[in-house]
Every structure is written in C-alpha cells, then in structure tokens.
Amino acid sequence: MQQIVVGTAGHIDHGKTSLVKALTGFDTDQLVEEKERGLTIDLGFAYLNESITIIDVPGHEKFIRNMAAGAANIHYGLIVVAADDGVMPQTIEHLDILTLLGVNKGWVAITKTDVIKDTEWIDLVELDIQERLIARGFHALSINRINNLNSNSTDKLKKDIASITNVKSIDSISEFFRMNIDRVFSKTGFGTVATGTVLNGEVKQGSEIEILPSTIKAKIRGIQSHGESVDKVSSGSRAALNLSNISSSEISRGHSICTAGILKPTRKIIVNIKMIKSTNWKIKNNQRLRFHFGTSEVLGRITIFDSKNLKNGYSANAVLNLESSVAIALDDKFIIRSYSPMNTIAGGLVLETNINFSWS
C-alpha cells in the first residue's frame, strides 16, 4: 500500500501539536525542553494510520531551519491557523516554503474556534486564508473549523486526510534510491538508524548504499516502515534504515542516503531563482545567503547572470558558490533565506551540478 506524508505548517501557538495529537493520539513533543517550554522545537512524527505519517514542525521563527527540513520530506501540507489570531507571519512563511518546494495541496484547520463567539469573525479569517492560499497557488482540499473543546470536531479532517491514499500515487522520478535524512539515532542491539521519506527508487535489506556528501559506504542491515519490519521500501514511503558499520556520530540530518555512485557532492551549481512576491529583500551579487537543500542548510554566495540584483517577484539564472558540499540532482527544488536577520526570500531549481567554470 502506498504511503503519504503530511506536514503541519503554521504560526507558533496555533495548535499544530495539539491537532496532531487529536488526530493520531500521539504527542509529538518528546524533548524535555519542549515539555518545559510548551513549544515545539524539533520535528515530531506520528502515524494517522498504516499508510499516513504526519510530521509536526515548529512554529517559532527561530526554528524555521527545522521546519524547512520537515517540509522537504512531505507530500501534502496541513495549514493550521488559530481563529483568535488569524493569519500570522509564520503562517505566511511556512506557506511560502511549502509552495516553493512544490507542496501545493493540503488541508486547512482553523483551530480554537471555541474561543471565538462571533462566527462572522471566523468567516473573515477563513476568507483571508483562502485569499493567501490562492495568491501562492496552494489548493485547499478542505477547510475545517476545529473546536478544541470538542474531540469530535477533528473527525471530518481525519477522514479527509485518510481518503487521500485512494487518489494520490507517489511516482518515482528515478530508479535509483535516494532519501534525505531527517533523524538519526542509535538503538541498543541494532546500532545506527536513519529515517526519512524515500524520494525515489527502491532499496532492499542487504543493499550497499552511500551516505552523501561524506561519501561513506554502508549496508542496509534492516528496514522498518510505520514501525513494522519490511524487506524493502520505495518512493514515497517513510523509512527507518538500520545501517551497519557506521556510527551515529558520522551522519546527521542533512545527509542523504543514495544508491552508491549516482550523485557526486558539489559546491558550485547553476540554478534558477524565483523571488517571493511579498519579500522586501533584494538579492545582490556575491551576497551571503542560506540555502536549504533537502533536509540540509548550507551557506554560500550567489552570482546572478543578467542583473546586479533581484527584487520581489523576479526570477533569474545564477551560480551558487557553497561553503560546504551538498548532494543534489537536476530539478531539485530548494529554499533561499537571508543570512541575518533570517527570512525566507526565494526558492530555486537546480539546473546543473558540479560545474567547473568561474563567473565574475
């Protein structure tokens, strides 16, 4: 059975984690600091059913890096907006990140409707959400009003999400296996385990793989998907890979697991950049920026081909000179954020990798 990965998106304290718990029965805030502070810091994972995983992301602006890593491994978005606040800054930034990465469908949950007694206000919040979604090309499969005091208010949303496995097919864009790592841990008696969503291809137990960009070779000792041991996983599936002969300290979020020899790490690539329409930032030649490829974040500088700078709504081809290597493929989508203060300002598409000419 095919698998689907859904990711939350929305401003801090709008009830993303509470909603995931209502849908799945699982509290995704597992870190001690998350419990103490009452906010999500890192990615959380829960199962809606045997086919659907929900990745819960942090809503605080300081943890956008973690949100972008989660967004890189999902197929659908779950946009969460609190009725009392309405659309807020990270609602917009999260939505921009999703659509720039090609995640342009999903569901909307308007939470905390029990706090608002004026239904006309909730109507206005819903209208505002719809306008923001349309402006960014995000299609809402359903909009759901969630009463936090009524446990049955999530029933329709849960049914809507569960039904997507009947209509959505995750196609593999390549026969070669590739997975961006979003979590690494060591399990007693098993060793190193890396998790992620399979981007394309298939991998079987016993297969030799390569971890990039570090170019470490390893073998798949065992595979789990949705908590069950399996012989293989393929495109679209959540996977936990037990790796032999490698320490958990040697790999981390941001690395990729691939069929050996299919990708070569690179620091210089040709890309097409599209600026967000609403940003006030301009990208200038040789500007230092943050680039989010898959689950990784790397620093680098940019050289624009046909202009001295790019402003909102504009697009152009450019060369990226990265400060550390990444493992990417043609047509990969990525996010560009400003160095400081950190804001999402553009998205990009990889046109060519491992180039060896200089541009000045």
Side-chain angles (χ1 to χ4, degrees):
M1 183 180 292
Q2 67 170 328
Q3 294 185 19
I4 300 295
V5 184
V6 177
T8 64
H11 200 77
I12 184 173
D13 205 30
H14 276 200
K16 296 185 295 300
T17 303
S18 297
L19 178 62
V20 173
K21 186 174 182 179
L23 290 169
T24 68
F26 188 78
D27 184 358
T28 55
D29 280 351
Q30 295 294 299
L31 299 177
V32 173
E33 187 177 358
E34 289 177 323
K35 300 289 189 183
E36 291 177 346
R37 297 176 63 180
L39 80 163
T40 301
I41 296 172
D42 205 355
L43 303 179
F45 303 85
Y47 302 140
L48 185 72
N49 56 35
E50 69 276 6
S51 302
I52 299 176
T53 301
I54 299 181
I55 299 180
D56 186 32
V57 306
H60 197 288
E61 61 180 336
K62 291 184 178 179
F63 306 119
I64 290 290
R65 175 182 180 178
N66 293 341
M67 184 275 163
N73 272 347
I74 70 172
H75 307 122
Y76 285 86
L78 175 55
I79 313 299
V80 181
V81 181
D84 53 344
D85 277 344
V87 174
M88 295 287 281
Q90 267 57 66
T91 314
I92 297 302
E93 187 167 17
H94 285 196
L95 185 58
D96 283 335
I97 289 172
L98 291 182
T99 52
L100 289 170
L101 291 176
V103 181
N104 53 21
K105 291 183 180 181
W107 303 268
V108 175
I110 303 176
T111 58
K112 304 183 182 181
T113 57
D114 49 284
V115 176
I116 304 299
K117 306 304 179 184
D118 184 356
T119 56
E120 289 187 0
W121 170 259
I122 302 177
D123 291 340
L124 289 174
V125 170
E126 182 172 327
L127 181 61
D128 186 29
I129 294 169
Q130 289 176 321
E131 291 177 349
R132 307 272 190 166
L133 297 180
I134 291 170
R136 288 160 178 80
F138 188 96
H139 176 57
L141 300 174
S142 68
I143 297 178
N144 304 265
R145 299 186 180 190
I146 306 299
N147 182 325
N148 288 37
L149 301 180
N150 182 356
S151 60
N152 296 325
S153 67
T154 59
D155 289 349
K156 181 181 180 299
L157 174 59
K158 184 175 182 177
K159 184 178 180 180
D160 287 348
I161 297 174
S163 68
I164 201 65
T165 54
N166 298 322
V167 298
K168 176 65 176 177
S169 177
I170 305 300
D171 298 321
S172 180
I173 58 175
S174 170
E175 62 181 300
F176 299 110
F177 178 77
R178 186 174 170 218
M179 183 184 89
N180 292 323
I181 298 173
D182 54 31
R183 184 173 46 160
V184 175
F185 57 92
S186 183
K187 189 172 183 179
T188 303
F190 291 89
T192 300
V193 177
T195 73
T197 302
V198 181
L199 290 179
N200 50 255
E202 179 181 276
V203 73
K204 299 179 180 179
Q205 185 174 337
S207 298
E208 183 177 75
I209 51 86
E210 187 174 21
I211 299 166
L212 299 173
S214 55
T215 67
I216 298 172
K217 299 286 180 64
K219 280 192 174 183
I220 306 295
R221 183 180 178 182
I223 305 174
Q224 284 198 351
S225 185
H226 279 244
E228 300 291 332
S229 294
V230 295
D231 294 327
K232 62 182 180 180
V233 283
S234 57
S235 180
S237 297
R238 284 296 299 177
L241 305 181
N242 182 203
L243 306 175
S244 62
N245 302 318
I246 185 170
S247 168
S248 60
S249 62
E250 296 180 84
I251 59 175
S252 63
R253 177 182 297 167
H255 284 92
S256 297
I257 300 178
C258 307
T259 300
I262 66 164
L263 291 179
K264 182 181 178 181
T266 181
R267 292 192 180 192
K268 183 173 284 191
I269 59 177
I270 298 177
V271 300
N272 180 263
I273 293 172
K274 183 178 181 180
M275 297 289 289
I276 293 174
K277 292 180 180 179
S278 59
T279 184
N280 293 321
W281 282 83
K282 291 182 180 180
I283 293 182
K284 301 176 182 179
N285 268 318
N286 206 39
Q287 184 174 347
R288 197 179 192 215
L289 297 164
R290 300 175 184 273
F291 301 94
H292 294 261
F293 295 97
T295 54
S296 71
E297 180 193 45
V298 296
L299 298 174
R301 297 184 184 274
I302 189 167
T303 301
I304 306 168
F305 283 170
D306 302 320
S307 177
K308 291 184 178 180
N309 58 61
L310 281 178
K311 59 182 181 179
N312 55 358
Y314 279 61
S315 62
N317 292 339
V319 171
L320 304 188
N321 293 282
L322 305 176
E323 296 177 16
S324 53
S325 296
V326 293
I328 53 175
L330 302 186
D331 295 329
D332 277 2
K333 294 181 174 68
F334 61 94
I335 300 298
I336 302 175
R337 305 189 75 226
S338 51
Y339 180 71
S340 182
M342 291 181 282
N343 298 112
T344 301
I345 59 177
L349 182 72
V350 175
L351 302 179
E352 188 62 72
T353 66
N354 289 292
I355 61 174
N356 56 17
F357 68 86
S358 62
W359 187 275
S360 59

